[in-house]
Amino acid sequence: MDFFLTLVQVLDSTIRLATPLLLACLAGLYSERAGIFDIGLEGKMLMAAFFSAAVAAVTGSVWLGLLAGIAASLVLSALHGFASITFRGNQLISGVAINFLASGMTVLIAQSWFKQGGRTPSLFGEGRFESAEFPYAIGPEDAELTGRPVSELMSETNALHLAYSELLSGHSILVYVAFLMVPLTWWILFRTRFGLRLRAVGENPAAVDTAGVSVVGLRYAAVAICGVLCGIAGAYLATALQAGFVKEMTAGRGFIALAALIFAKWRPWHAMWACLLFGLLQAVALRFQNIDLGGVVIPVQVMDALPYILTVVILAGFVGKAIPPRAGGEPYVKER
Amino acid sequence: MEKMPKWADVVLIPIISLLLATILSAIVILAIGEDPIEAVNLMVTGALGSTYGWGYTLYYATNFIFTGLAVAVAFHARLFNIGGEGQAMLGGLGVAIVCLSVPWPHWTIALLAACAASMIFGAAWAAIPAYLQAKRGSHIVITTIMFNFIAAAFLNYMLVNVMRPQGSQDPATARFPEAVHLPTFQSMFSTAENVMFRGAPANISFFVAILACFVVWALIWRTRLGYEIRAYGHSETGAVYAGISPVRITVIAMLISGALAGLMAINNVMGEAERLVLNATEGAGFIGIAVALMGRSHPFGVFLAAILFGFLYQGGAELALWTSIPRELIVVIQALVILFTGALDNMVRIPLEKLFMALRKGSA
Amino acid sequence: EPALIFDLGGKFDKSFNEAAHNGASRWAEETGGSYREIEMQSEAQREQALRRFAEAGSNPIITMGFGMADPLSAVASDYPDTTFVVVDVTWLDAPNVRQVGFAEHEGSYLVGMMAAMASKSGTVGFIGGMDVPLIRHFGCGYAQGAKAVNPDINVVANMTGTTPAAWNDPVKGSELTKAQISQGADVVYAAAGGTGVGVLQTAADEGILSIGVDSNQNHLHPGKVLTSMLKRVDVAVYDAMSAGDDVETGVFTMGLAEDGVGVSMDENNAELVSDDMKAAVDKARQDIIDGNVSVVSYYENDSCPALQF
Amino acid sequence: MTVPAIELKGISKAFGPVQANKDISISVAPGTIHGIIGENGAGKSTLMSILYGFYKADKGEIWINGQKTDIPDSQAAIASGIGMVFQHFKLVENFTVLENIVLGAEDGGLLAPSLAKARKELKALEEEYELFVDPDKRIDEIGVGMQQRVEILKALYRKAEILILDEPTGVLTPAEADQLFRILDRLRSEGKTIIVITHKLREIMENTDTVSVMRRGEMTATVKTADTNPQELAELMVGRKVLLQVDKVPAQPGKPVLEIENLSVTDSAGVERVKGIDLSVRAGEIVGIAGVAGNGQSELLEVLGGMRPGQGSIKLNGERLAMHGPGSDGQARRAQGVAHVPEDRQREGLIMDFYAWENVAFGYHRDPAYKRGLFMDNAALRADTEAKIEKFDVRPPNGWLTAKSFSGGNQQKIVVAREIERNPDLLLVGQPTRGVDIGAIEFIHKQIVALRDQGKAILLVSVELEEIFSLSDRIAVMFDGHIMGERLPAETDEKELGLLMAGVAGEAA
Ligand SMILES: Nc1ncnc2c1ncn2[C@@H]1O[C@H](COP(=O)(O)OP(=O)(O)OP(=O)(O)O)[C@@H](O)[C@H]1O
Ligand SMILES: Nc1ncnc2c1ncn2[C@@H]1O[C@H](COP(=O)(O)OP(=O)(O)OP(=O)(O)O)[C@@H](O)[C@H]1O
Ligand SMILES: [Mg+2]
Ligand SMILES: [Mg+2]
C-alpha cells in the first residue's frame, strides 16, 4: 500500500509536470507538421504565462486571463509566421528572437504595470483555475468534513479509489484539455481534410500549391493553432499550477517540449507518451533526492541530471533516427 | 547576373535592418517613459566611446566569437549544436584544472596548455552527442540540450563538492596563481602617461579569437576536410557518392565545434574571472546560436555579429548604470536586432531588389 | 551619494536583494536623499560596476552577495578614498571595506524549532534553490533547530536544481513541496528565491504550513505561513547609507544578538504561533545570545551535524 | 474554324534578370496533342507553369476555349479545366496514392467520405483509361511510372479537359512510355487537349499533331508534325546541324577489366536487390545494362562505385576489391581507377550549392594535384575547371556559377567531364542523358565512345533502350536482381529485350 501510494503520488506529479510539456509539444507538432520549425515555444509560453496572470490579476477572472494569454501567444505566432512564411526568413532565427523578445518584454511590461519586480500580483479565488473534483473522489471537501488531511484519507482507502482520486480527479480543467487534445490532434491530423493538407504542406508544399490550395494560408493556420496551444500551456503554468507570473517561469520547458516532439517523431500519441516520460523522470528525480545506497549518498546533482541522462540513453537505445517533416525549416519559394 | 550588387546584399541590407531594429527599440524605450536619444547616446558612448568601453565590448565579443564559430562549424555540416553552453562549461573546467594543478612558469605556456585543455574538454562533451547522432541517429538537438543540463549539474557538483577550497562559501575554485594571469588590454596597450582599457576585462584571448576566425575560415574554405564538411552539409547522398563518410564528418565537425565552444573558457575563466565560478558561461552558448545565424556561418560574419552583441551587452550595462531602465530592455533590443537582421531580412531585401532592377532597367 | 549594487537575482527577488532595495528606499524616503543602483547581469559587470561608481564619486558603495568578494578584493585598493560595503562576505583583507555577514544558521535554527513544534507528523521539509554552501548553511541551522525540539524528527531536504533557473522555477518548487508533503512533511521552509513563491503557494493550497525567508513573507498567505526567517539586509543597507561617508569599516557579523536575523511575528501568523512556541523561541534566542546553546555553522567544516546533503 | 482550346498571347516572364519567356504566343486546337521541344533552359517548363497558374506571367493573355481567362493560381487553372503533370512530380511521398489524388479536391471537412468517393471514381477512371494504380500504396513504395500515372489520375480526377505533361517520358522505360502515349491517344479521342514537352524527337514524330520549338525563351516555330522531320526539328532547336545517330566503329575488346562473381546487394531496409550476379566488362568495351528502373541496376552501380556494401567478389584488373569497411568507399574506388557518373546528378553527382569549380573536384578533392601544403590548391582547380568547361562546352562558360544555376544538360556535362577526364580504367555511367536535350546528348555520347576507343572499360546503365542500343557493344538485361541474359546489339531487338526486361526468360545466355 505504501509503495502504491508513493507510485500514485509520483504519477500524479508526472501528470502535472507533463501537462505544460504536452500542450507545448502538440503546439510544436502542428507547426512543424506544416513545415514551420518552431524553437520559440518557450517564448510563446512565457508571454502567455505573463499575460494570463496579468489579466487574471487585474480582472479577477481566470477565463479572461486565459484568453489574454492565448492572444499574446498568437501575436508572437503571427510574428513568427510573418518572418518565416510571408518573408521566408530563417525559422530558427525567428524562433530565437521570439524567445529573447518574450524573456525581455514580460519583465519589462510586468515592471511597468505592477512594479513588483517582473512579477504579477498573486492570484486567488476566481483568478485561478481550481482543480476539478470528480464524484466520489477524495478531495479537500472530504478533508474539511472529516477534519483530517487529504493525504491521510488517501493513504487509508483502497488502491482503485486512491488512483481514481489522485490521478483522474483533482486536476485543473486545462489538464483535461491537454490530454483531450491528443486524440483530437490525432483525429484532425489523420481524419480531416485540414489534417491531410497540413501534413502535405509540411512534406511537399509544391504538391499542395499545384493542387490549388494555399500554402501560405495553411501554414498560417498551423502556426496559429500552435499559438493557441502555447497560450494554454503558459496560462496553465501561471494560473493553474501557480498563482501568478514569475520571470522566466517556463524554465526551459519549451525546449524540453521540443525534445519530446522529436522524440515522438512528430506523432500525437507518441508525443503524449514522450511528455509523460519526461514528466515521470522529473517527478522521480524530485521525489527521490539524496538516495542512500548503503552508505553512499547519491549527490543531488546526479538526481537532478538523471532525467536528462535517461533521455539520452532512451533516445540512443530505443528510439533511433527521427526524420522530420521533409519540408520542415525550408521556406517555400516558387521563384528565386 | 545577380538581382542586385553584392555590396547592397552584404552592407546595405544589414544596415537598413539594424536601423529598423533601432527605431523599434526607440519606440519601446519611449513606451516605458524614457528618452531614446539619451539611451542610444549612453549605449554608444558607453560601449564604443572610450578604450574602457571597447575593453568590455571586446571582452563579451570574444566569448561570442568562440561560441558563434562553434555553432557555425556545426552548421556547415548541417548539425545544429545547441550544446555550446555545456561545452563551454566543460572547457572552463579544463582550464581550471590545468591552471590550478600545475605550477606554470609563465602565462604563455599556461595559455597554450589551457587552450589545449579547454578544447579537449569541450570536444569531449560534444563527442557523445556526435557519436550518437552519427551511429544511432539520435537527434543532436535533443542530445545537446540534455548535455547542457548534465554539464550544469556536473559543474555544480565539482564546484560545491570537489574543487571549492575548504571553508570557502563561494561555489568556485580557488583563484588561479599570478603566473597564469593573462595580459589584459590594459597591460598590453597602456603607456606610462596614458592608461588605456583601464580595468576592462578584454585580454589576449581576443586575439586568439581572431586567430580562431582565420583558422575556421581556412579550415572550412581552404582545406579538404572543410570541403568535405560543407559537401556533407549540403547533401548527404552526395557525400556518400564522393566517398565522404557521414559518420566521420559528423563526429569531426562536432568535435571541432565543441572544441571551439570550450575554448571560450580561456577568455571568461582564465582571462577575466581567473577562477571558475558557477554559471561562468552566462548563456554565451545560446548567444552563439544567434551570432552564427546572423553571421551566416561565415567567420567574418560571426566576428561582426559578435561585436554587435558585445556592443549590446556593454551598452546595456552602461544604460543600467546610469539610468533606471530595467536591464530586460537590453534583452528586448537584442531580440529586435536578431529579428530584423536575421529573420526579417527579406522584408528589406525584396523591395531593395525591385528597386535595383528598376534602376537597372532605367539605365539600360 | 551612495550606490547600491544588486546581485544577479535582481532587486525584486522577493528576498535577499529586495531586502536591500527596501532598506535603500527607506533611507531615501526618510532623508530625501538619492542613490545610484544597478542589477548585475553578468560576472564581468561586477568589477565594472564597482569601478564606474567609484570613479563617479559614489560613496559608500554597497554591494550584495558573496559573488562580490573576488572583484572587491581586486578593486578596493585602487580607490582608497571610497568606502565599500559588502553583504554576505566576511573574509576579505581590505581596510576600506565594511563586511557584513549574517548568522543565517541562528535564524534558521529558530524557525527550525518552530517548524518542529508546529509539525504534527514529525516530518518537516527544507527546499533550497541551488546546491551552494550558503543554502546548505540555511538548511543546516534549520535541521539543528528542529532536532533540538524533537530529536526524532525527520528533516527532508531538497534542492531545486543546478542551473540559475533553479532560483526562478516556482513550478518545480510546487512539485518539491508536494513530494515532501507526500513524505509526510507538514511544515516546509523555502530558501530558494523565486522558486519559494511556488513553495509557499502550494503549502497554502495543500493546507500545510510554510516558512518564508529573508524578508517577512508572512503576508503572502496570511494564516498559512508559520513565520519567516528574517535576514535584516535592509537594516544593514539602511545603516550604511545613513552613516554615509563615515561608515565604519571592518567585519561585522549580524546574528541574533545584533537583531541581524530573527523570526517574524505579526498579525498574519499570530494565530499559528502558540504561547509555548513563542516562549521556547525566546528562550532559545537568549541561550544562543548568551552562548549557552551553540549552533554549528555549515561553513566551519563543510558539513552539518544534523543533516546530510 | 474551331475555337482554340488554348491560346497564349504575348506571354513574357522574367526571373530576376533572367528572361525565361519572351513574348510567346501559341494556339492549340481542341482534341489534339501538341508537342513542345527546346533545349534545356529554353523556357518550356516556365511557359507551362504559367498556363497552370504556378507562376504569374509578367505580361500577356491566356485564352481558354475562346475566353480570356485570368489564372492567378493553380486553383484557377484547375477550375478552367487544366491539369498538369510536372517534370518533377508534385506528390507527397509518404502519402498513399489515394491521399495524393484527393489532396486539394476533397469533398468535405472529413476525409473518409472523400477517400471512399475517390476510390470509386478511381476505379472508373482506371478502367476507362487503363491507368492502373494501387490506391493504398505509398508513393515512395511505387516506381516512377506508377507515380506518373498517379499524376495523370490527379488531373483527370479534377476533370481536366486540357492536360499538360512536362517531360513525361524522361524517367519511363520504353514500354511505359508506349503505354503513356496510348493513354494520351485515348484522351485525345475523347476530345481532350494535350500538351507534351519532351526532348525525344521520336515521340514527337509518332504522337503529336502539331509541334512548337522554343529557343532561349522565344518561340521559334510552330509546325504540323506531318510537315516536318526530326532533322529539321533538331536544327530548329539547337540552331545547328545535329547528329541523331551515334557514330562509332566496332569495339576491339581487350582483357577483362571488371569481373563480377556472385555479387549480392542488400539495401538498408534489408531487401536483397542484387541476387548473385556474374558479369564482366573488358577493356575497350561498353556493356549496357537494360532493365526497368528498380530491378537492381542502381544498387549494382552503387556497390561498384563504393556507395554501399555488398557480398561476393569484384575484381578490377584481376585484383579483388574490398566491398565493405576500409578500401570500399568512393574515395578508395577512385584511387583504384573507377570513375562514376551517378544516376542522379542533383542528389549525388553534384553539390548544387557549390560553384562549378568546386564540383569539378567532387570525389577527387583529396587528389594530390589539388593540394598545396595544408590547403586545397584552388587556383589549380580553377584552371582545371576552365579547361574542362572549354573542352566540354559547358554553358555558360563560367566556373563561378553554382551548380544549380546550370541547366540539367550542362550540369550533366560537368559531371561527365569530371569523370571522363580522370581517364579511369573503368567508367560507371548511370542514366547519362536523362532529361538532357539532344544537343547535349549527342556530345555526351561522343565522349563516352571516345573513352571506349582509348581502351577503357565502360559499364552503362540506362532505362533508355535507344541509348542502350546505340552505345553498347554488349547488352545485359536485369530483372529482379538477376541478369536475365546477355545479347549483342546486332543480334537482338527491342522486342526481345523488352521481354527479358519483363522477366520473361529467353533462351539461356
Ligand atoms: N524558379 C525559377 N527561379 C528562377 N529562375 C528560373 C526558375 N525556373 C526557371 N528559371 C529560369 O528560366 C529559364 C527557363 O527555364 P525552364 O525551366 O522554363 O526551362 P526548360 O525549357 O523547361 O528547360 P528543361 O529542358 O531543362 O526542362 C531557365 O534558364 C532559368 O534560368
Ligand atoms: N531556382 C532557380 N534559379 C535559377 N535557375 C533555375 C532555378 N530552378 C531551375 N533553374 C533552371 O531552369 C532550367 C530548367 O529547370 P528544370 O528544373 O526544368 O531543370 P532540370 O530539371 O535541372 O533540368 P533537366 O530537365 O534537364 O534535368 C535550368 O536551366 C535550371 O538551371
Ligand atoms: Mg523543364
Ligand atoms: Mg528539364
Side-chain angles (χ1 to χ4, degrees), chain C residues 112-166:
Chain C
M113 286 179 63
M114 290 175 72
M117 294 176 81
S119 170
K120 297 188 191 113
S121 64
T123 301
V124 296
F126 172 79
I127 294 177
M130 224 196 274
D131 185 15
V132 294
L134 177 67
I135 295 303
R136 291 184 173 191
H137 183 62
F138 276 82
C140 186
Y142 176 71
Q144 289 176 64
K147 296 224 158 132
V149 171
N150 174 4
D152 298 327
I153 202 158
N154 179 21
V155 181
V156 189
N158 290 141
M159 299 291 178
T160 312
T162 49
T163 59

Side-chain angles (χ1 to χ4, degrees), chain A residues 33-49:
Chain A
R33 275 280 186 166
I36 303 294
F37 281 172
D38 193 352
I39 57 174
L41 297 175
E42 175 90 359
K44 282 191 277 235
M45 267 205 283
L46 191 64
M47 201 65 129

Side-chain angles (χ1 to χ4, degrees), chain D residues 215-235:
Chain D
R215 185 139 69 94
R216 301 198 183 148
E218 284 174 281
M219 190 65 81
T220 49
T222 300
V223 290
K224 278 210 160 53
T225 312
D227 299 344
T228 185
N229 59 58
Q231 200 58 52
E232 185 191 18
L233 286 178
E235 279 181 47

Side-chain angles (χ1 to χ4, degrees), chain A residues 62-75:
Chain A
V62 70
W63 291 104
L64 286 181
L66 176 66
L67 284 182
I70 291 174
S73 169
L74 272 173
V75 168

Side-chain angles (χ1 to χ4, degrees), chain A residues 210, chain D residues 49 52 54 84-90 151 164 166:
Chain A
T210 53
Chain D
S49 299
Y52 190 63
F54 192 61
M84 178 153 173
V85 178
F86 283 85
Q87 184 174 357
H88 300 288
F89 300 148
K90 310 287 184 197
E151 284 282 20
I164 306 165
D166 192 352

